[in-house]
Amino acid sequence: MALDATWQMMTSPIPCHDVRVTTPELALPADLPGNRRERKKQETRAALEQAALRLFAEKGYEQTTVEEIAAAADVAVRTFFRYFSSKQHILFGDVAHQRINLLRTALAASPEDEPPLIAVQRVLEALDLDEAGEKQLLPRLRLMERQPSLVTRYLHLNHDLRKLLEEFVAARCGAAPTDSYPLLVAAAAVSSWDVALRVWAAGDGRPCLAELRREAFRALTAGLPPAPTPPPE
């Protein structure tokens, strides 16, 4: 019965671009000096990122220099390095950092009595990209297709995500991160994202990315056994 209920929860239809995990924002007066400084930082970071993506698309990743990115964003080169350590960082670094942090926070907030597979599924749903995020993602994927050197960074990000999931599932099951169940759940989660991205990019962003990921995750987890029971304390 418990396994049937778990599968029903996982297969319930959820529309694309549903509610997403967001970081809470404090409603403080916008004219405070600290708020103005923070807003200026966010605007500068966004300008650098937009300039980089545009130049990468127009000229190519290897042909674009940091100096050109800074000039296009109307900032000094030293300002670029206050926000990003390299061209590769501006393409993937902050995206990965935010995603891993959101994943860690959402998993920690999941109910302790929730089956680990359901907890992972719900968190993946919450982290699915909205339309604005998808628009930013597609040119990055196109660049990765043209620049094989970027694949190494992408694989490193997947490794970090998989390790985080392995540790979470293992802790919920009272198992070791190297036991088969945590490894299988984490591998299914990361692989479902990878498969969905490749199919979505091949379709020029036309399929629903979130639905592609759900379908892949359901297929990859369909044969998993029930989660191990934690040993009594």
Side-chain angles (χ1 to χ4, degrees):
M1 292 291 290
L3 187 58
D4 290 341
T6 296
W7 185 249
Q8 183 177 4
M9 292 171 70
M10 288 179 60
T11 55
S12 299
I14 301 176
C16 287
H17 310 311
D18 202 0
V19 177
R20 305 286 178 252
V21 171
T22 57
T23 53
E25 296 182 358
L26 297 177
L28 296 176
D31 59 346
L32 290 179
N35 290 341
R36 288 198 299 270
R37 285 194 298 270
E38 185 60 32
R39 187 167 62 251
K40 178 60 176 176
K41 289 180 181 179
Q42 293 173 357
E43 291 171 352
T44 301
R45 178 182 291 272
L48 283 165
E49 190 172 56
Q50 291 168 10
L53 290 176
R54 178 173 57 80
L55 289 170
F56 292 162
E58 292 175 356
K59 301 183 58 177
Y61 178 79
E62 296 295 344
Q63 291 70 32
T64 301
T65 66
V66 168
E67 288 77 10
E68 289 171 330
I69 295 171
D74 197 24
V75 299
V77 172
R78 64 178 179 274
T79 301
F80 175 96
F81 287 110
R82 289 175 187 163
Y83 293 91
F84 302 100
S85 60
S86 65
K87 289 194 301 179
Q88 192 160 303
H89 181 192
I90 201 170
L91 186 61
F92 287 117
D94 284 342
V95 173
H97 180 73
Q98 181 187 37
R99 191 169 184 82
I100 291 173
N101 282 345
L102 288 173
L103 179 65
R104 182 181 291 107
T105 300
L107 288 172
S110 63
E112 292 186 3
D113 59 349
E114 188 172 43
L117 187 60
I118 295 300
V120 170
Q121 171 70 1
R122 290 192 184 281
V123 169
L124 291 177
E125 296 287 352
L127 292 182
D128 279 333
L129 298 174
D130 57 15
E131 292 184 54
E134 289 184 1
K135 289 179 181 178
Q136 288 291 317
L137 181 61
L138 192 56
R140 285 172 161 86
L141 294 176
R142 291 284 179 259
L143 283 170
M144 193 167 67
E145 291 173 359
R146 297 196 297 268
Q147 303 292 337
S149 62
L150 298 177
V151 175
T152 301
R153 176 64 179 167
Y154 174 74
L155 293 176
H156 180 71
L157 304 181
N158 277 352
H159 171 78
D160 290 344
L161 289 170
R162 186 168 57 249
K163 187 172 181 62
L164 178 59
L165 288 164
E166 289 166 358
E167 292 173 351
F168 167 78
V169 175
R172 284 295 173 94
C173 296
T178 53
D179 287 350
S180 61
Y181 189 80
L183 291 174
L184 287 168
V185 173
V190 174
S191 295
S192 67
W193 173 246
D194 188 46
V195 168
L197 282 177
R198 294 179 66 178
V199 174
W200 181 73
D204 201 27
R206 295 186 184 278
C208 175
L209 179 58
E211 184 55 36
L212 287 170
R213 185 204 53 74
R214 293 182 198 115
E215 291 176 359
F217 188 76
R218 286 195 294 265
L220 290 168
T221 57
L224 286 181
T229 304
E233 296 181 358

